[in-house]
Amino acid sequence: MKARMLEKWWQRVASFGFVYSVLGISSAIISNDLETALVQASIRVGFFLLAIAVFYYHFRVELHRSTERLLASACITSGAVAFGSFLLAAYAVGIALLETSHVPASLLSALLVWPAATGLPALVAALVLGKSIILFLRRTKDQ
């Protein structure tokens, strides 16, 4: 039973994590080919807002699936964000290997730092968002 639950958890984390990494990689590829800094920043902000929308949607799906088990929903959502940033760091390491035969240690450390730097704030954001949603839904039921 636990193995099946872990498999389902991993599938949900991996699928949305892949979406987050595709957003990050697409943002980097598209914005790096542009000439002006203003257009680059606009593209990156647009992808960031899209990632926020995906995060909100993913969290609402998880919150609905787990029937108000806030911590489980927040952990799955933030796990997907962390996995997506790990894939983004792995992509950056791969690009560095293709361009040179040497990968800087700082880029290798990104394989650990990026998931932590994105996963922990995503956990806090998901907990705050979830508590807000639950309180809002309770207030609308009472009225």
Side-chain angles (χ1 to χ4, degrees), residues 59-60 62-78 122-135 138:
F59 183 74
R60 286 301 301 254
E62 293 300 333
L63 192 61
H64 179 72
R65 279 185 183 160
S66 61
T67 60
E68 291 194 24
R69 288 190 357 222
L70 179 59
L71 186 58
S73 301
C75 286
I76 290 171
T77 307
S78 63
L123 178 64
V124 172
L127 289 171
V128 170
L129 177 65
K131 195 63 174 174
S132 301
I133 290 171
I134 290 170
L135 288 174
R138 284 185 185 154

Side-chain angles (χ1 to χ4, degrees), residues 72-123:
S73 301
C75 286
I76 290 171
T77 307
S78 63
V81 170
F83 183 65
S85 65
F86 173 79
L87 292 175
L88 184 61
Y91 173 79
V93 168
I95 291 297
L97 281 173
L98 288 175
E99 291 178 356
T100 64
S101 61
H102 177 267
V103 177
S106 60
L107 195 53
L108 286 176
S109 68
L111 292 169
L112 297 175
V113 173
W114 288 3
T118 58
L120 294 176
L123 178 64

Side-chain angles (χ1 to χ4, degrees), residues 30-40:
I30 292 171
S31 65
N32 285 345
D33 290 340
L34 301 173
E35 293 179 13
T36 63
L38 180 62
V39 177
Q40 283 180 342

